[in-house]
Amino acid sequence: GSDVRRGALEAAGRGTVVLDDVVELPFSLQQELAQTLLTRRLRPPGSATELTLRTRIVATSRRDLRLETAQGRFSQDLYDKFGGQVFRVPPLRDRPEDILSVVEHWVALAKRRGDVPSSFTISSETVSALLNQDWAANASELEAAVEWALRAASRRAGGDLLPRDLPSPRAASSALTSEFDPALTYRQVRSGFEADFERRYVSWLLSRHQGNISAAAREARMDRKHLYDLARKHGLRQRSGGSPE
């Protein structure tokens, strides 16, 4: 009955919601979100019942929200909701001691899924390669590299995650001067080099235009949305209006 439905809606209003890169929300949605957080009332789409929002909201941003707000690119009302409790997380390059813990976490998940055997380990050479890499895109780049390496490692017999399993640029230099991994197909090897080229090119292109995605897309004769999607894919930072920087 109606009491059951309302109970379900009330339950849905609890928990934690993470808003990733909240600064990229359109300004109108920022204002709507600020109003919702102010009233703590929410009507789910298609429902005639309004519920009390008990959800804890956690927002992330790669940019300084205080500066974005001062320059009119982020809602002052929404900043007032988040600005009092700001936690700055240093980039991975400033906390290399966390890299191995993060990688071990994803390896453990792969073991539970059955993607790799339970005896699977990370070689000391791979640990060194991971620690020596400047993870410009932070955890998103590290996660993508580990996922790629695990797929490569799962296609061959063996109990270690090896440096050769890592995607370019970590393995590209050695691959160009030595034998390619025979356990990988042509398509897999090519995919690794293409992904590296794609990330490097987009980063270079955006740096030429101070992160202005429209100007960068015009110079490269690319569709603006496609360039935006590539920047998001590779974890490149973005400015107001969807302009990666």
Side-chain angles (χ1 to χ4, degrees), residues 157-170:
D160 289 338
L161 185 67
L162 303 176
R164 69 185 185 184
D165 298 323
L166 296 171
S168 302
R170 286 155 287 282

Side-chain angles (χ1 to χ4, degrees), residues 98-156:
D98 291 345
I99 292 176
L100 185 56
S101 296
V102 173
V103 174
E104 288 176 338
H105 169 72
W106 283 317
V107 170
L109 290 179
K111 288 181 179 180
R112 287 202 290 270
R113 292 194 303 262
D115 296 340
V116 295
S118 59
S119 59
F120 194 82
T121 60
I122 306 170
S123 73
S124 58
E125 294 83 3
T126 304
V127 171
S128 296
L130 290 167
L131 294 178
N132 290 328
Q133 173 65 28
D134 180 15
W135 300 99
N138 291 318
S140 59
E141 184 182 3
L142 176 58
E143 180 180 10
V146 173
E147 288 182 350
W148 198 95
L150 287 172
R151 287 197 299 270
S154 68
R155 292 181 172 89
R156 60 170 171 75

